[in-house]
């Protein structure tokens, strides 16, 4: 009986932790945790040819599904930023189980430097996309790619848009090269 009560108490504390951290996470970020489909991630990796020489950041990495799959499929160096505690802890647990080398950072991605990444991925919400766009242009090196699911940047024109099954879109943006960088175009 005592053991049963202790187990029930632990379950209740666990559920309370998930509810509280989801609520606080939403208050802070204004973005709920919703996962990208596995098939969408597979499509992105294949279509863009992401490989082991690449550095891939997931802005708001949730339970780590995207970073772990990108790492597995491509061998890229992956990093995820996530503010909500329970999804971040779940991602840490998955990292241990999978023996992944992903870097998982429990920080606000707006306060981090993105210049290492040549791919950034964002499945976020419309009110944030203007700030994400500005930071992508400010931080990322020319030629870097932003992969944005469903909610496009307000100003930049995508270089490609993919319509995926189940009515989802992937917008691809490239950080522009300076106009006078002396490059010779090879056709
Ligand atoms: C829609 S979910 C996407 C999760 C994952 N990227 C995927 O596609 O499966 C967005 C996540 O971004 C996180 N998030 C939103 N704003 C953030 C910020 N400024 N810093 C860190 N994480 C943030 C939220 O907590 C949420 O878990």
């Amino acid at each position: 009986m005592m053991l049963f009560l202790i187990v029930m108490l632990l379950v209740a504390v666990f559920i309370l932790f998930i509810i509280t951290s989801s609520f606080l996470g939403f208050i802070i970020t204004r973005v709920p945790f919703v996962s990208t489909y596995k098939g969408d991630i597979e499509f992105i990796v294949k279509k863009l040819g992401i490989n082991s020489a690449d550095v891939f950041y997931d802005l708001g990495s949730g339970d780590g599904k995207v970073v772990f799959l990108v790492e597995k499929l491509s061998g890229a160096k992956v990093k995820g930023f996530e503010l909500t505690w329970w999804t971040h802890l779940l991602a840490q647990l998955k990292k241990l189980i999978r023996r992944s080398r992903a870097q998982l950072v429990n920080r606000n991605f707006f306060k981090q430097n993105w210049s290492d990444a040549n791919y950034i991925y964002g499945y976020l919400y419309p009110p944030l996309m203007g700030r994400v766009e500005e930071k992508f242009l400010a931080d990322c090196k020319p030629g870097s790619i932003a992969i944005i699911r469903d909610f496009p940047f307000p100003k930049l024109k995508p270089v490609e848009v993919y319509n995926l099954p189940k009515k989802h879109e992937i917008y691809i943006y490239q950080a522009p090269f300076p106009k006078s960088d002396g490059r010779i175009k090879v056709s």
Side-chain angles (χ1 to χ4, degrees):
M1 185 63 181
M2 192 62 177
L3 184 68
F4 176 73
L5 282 177
I6 291 171
V7 171
M8 290 310 284
L9 189 70
L10 287 177
V11 170
V13 168
F14 179 67
I15 292 172
L16 197 66
F17 170 69
I18 291 183
I19 293 172
T20 313
S21 74
S22 297
F23 179 71
L24 286 178
F26 183 72
I27 295 290
I28 296 166
T29 66
R30 300 279 156 190
V31 187
F33 168 57
V34 185
S35 258
T36 299
Y37 298 133
K38 184 171 178 257
D40 293 7
I41 306 162
E42 290 166 343
F43 173 88
I44 291 165
V45 170
K46 198 167 169 198
K47 197 78 189 172
L48 301 182
I50 300 174
N51 62 59
S52 58
D54 292 317
V55 180
F56 179 101
Y57 282 9
D58 185 4
L59 310 175
S61 45
D63 65 352
K65 179 177 178 180
V66 175
V67 285
F68 296 136
L69 194 54
V70 170
E71 180 184 47
K72 184 177 160 199
L73 295 172
S74 69
K77 193 175 160 201
V78 295
K79 191 168 182 174
F81 302 96
E82 176 55 55
L83 264 180
T84 301
W85 299 315
W86 80 268
T87 45
H88 174 70
L89 287 179
L90 181 59
Q92 293 282 13
L93 188 67
K94 285 168 80 176
K95 176 181 157 154
L96 271 181
I97 295 166
R98 289 162 189 260
R99 296 163 184 263
S100 159
R101 298 172 66 168
Q103 264 184 282
L104 301 171
V105 184
N106 185 210
R107 294 259 194 283
N108 182 343
F109 58 68
F110 283 120
K111 296 188 176 162
Q112 307 299 305
N113 189 305
W114 305 350
S115 60
D116 264 4
N118 60 327
Y119 285 99
I120 61 149
Y121 177 74
Y123 180 28
L124 298 160
Y125 255 28
L128 266 65
M129 298 321 290
R131 280 180 74 196
V132 175
E133 177 179 44
E134 272 173 32
K135 193 159 167 64
F136 169 62
L137 292 174
D139 277 15
C140 292
K141 292 184 273 292
S144 304
I145 300 286
I147 306 159
I148 301 297
R149 191 171 196 249
D150 286 348
F151 306 112
F153 285 158
K155 291 187 190 142
L156 261 186
K157 201 170 169 291
V159 289
E160 206 73 64
V161 180
Y162 299 113
N163 293 298
L164 301 185
K166 301 184 193 166
K167 298 197 171 145
H168 287 282
E169 279 97 44
I170 294 288
Y171 299 84
I172 308 292
Y173 301 89
Q174 187 168 38
F177 291 94
K179 285 210 172 75
S180 57
D181 67 351
R183 261 162 204 275
I184 299 166
K185 272 202 174 159
V186 182
S187 55

